[in-house]
Amino acid sequence: MEEEIFSAPSIEGLLTEGKVIQVRPRGYSMYPLFVPGRDEALIAPVEVDKLKRGDVVLYRRAKGVLVLHRIWKRDGECFYLVGDNQREIEGPLGAEQMKGILIMVIRKGRPFSVRHPLYRFCSGMWLFLRPFRPMLSHGAAAWKRLFHKN
């Protein structure tokens, strides 16, 4: 499964300067939150001490790749992350690897805040359903094939 990979070297620099950045996630690890080529993400500089379960963070893997995933669990300064379209949990990751936090999703040109109660509810349910995600994804794809034929 493809990861949410960002290659622009200036992303971290802009976040370090306190700027909010807008990126277009690639890959399907955060599907259905992000559909490649359609959706965009507004990422703000991160305040690590305020990060909690359910937050979507931009982090740098040990191999140097920037990835956008959701916090599954936090244990002090250690973070465990998972993509919305994945079951495998990655971690522990250190606080120094956290580079930014998702503050807004832009879907088909329309923004919605990650603070909206409906978004918070849905993301909480999606975390709860992590063990069942493959079944849900396959079911949704089958439903789409059956009822959305052109």
Side-chain angles (χ1 to χ4, degrees):
M1 193 172 299
E2 241 180 85
E3 301 294 332
E4 303 298 321
I5 301 173
F6 302 92
S7 57
S10 62
I11 287 175
E12 271 184 86
L14 292 169
L15 289 168
T16 302
E17 292 172 11
K19 295 186 170 43
V20 173
I21 60 167
Q22 186 170 333
V23 296
R24 194 173 283 248
R26 300 184 320 211
Y28 284 90
S29 70
M30 284 300 289
Y31 181 85
L33 181 60
F34 291 109
V35 174
R38 180 189 76 183
D39 302 328
E40 296 175 279
L42 255 57
I43 311 284
V46 70
E47 293 181 54
V48 175
D49 57 323
K50 293 184 179 178
L51 291 176
K52 62 193 174 309
R53 177 180 166 89
D55 287 340
V56 175
V57 293
L58 182 68
Y59 66 99
R60 183 165 296 283
R61 285 190 170 146
K63 293 184 181 181
V65 178
L66 282 171
V67 181
L68 190 64
H69 279 170
R70 193 175 301 279
I71 296 174
W72 168 255
K73 179 174 109 175
R74 179 177 183 169
D75 185 9
E77 293 296 305
C78 293
F79 294 87
Y80 298 83
L81 298 129
V82 65
D84 282 357
N85 195 26
Q86 297 177 323
R87 284 186 10 193
E88 294 294 320
I89 296 170
E90 182 177 359
L93 298 162
E96 73 283 353
Q97 291 175 267
M98 304 300 125
K99 305 301 179 184
I101 185 168
L102 178 69
I103 59 170
M104 190 162 297
V105 175
I106 301 170
R107 175 158 297 144
K108 296 180 183 178
R110 298 178 68 201
F112 65 87
S113 171
V114 299
R115 292 187 179 157
H116 190 280
L118 181 60
Y119 170 86
R120 299 299 291 176
F121 173 78
C122 290
S123 64
M125 287 301 298
W126 200 242
L127 276 175
F128 175 75
L129 293 170
R130 183 187 61 84
F132 309 103
R133 288 180 188 171
M135 271 189 313
L136 294 169
S137 293
H138 292 297
W143 180 269
K144 198 171 189 178
R145 282 191 303 274
L146 283 172
F147 295 103
H148 290 90
K149 290 184 179 185
N150 290 331

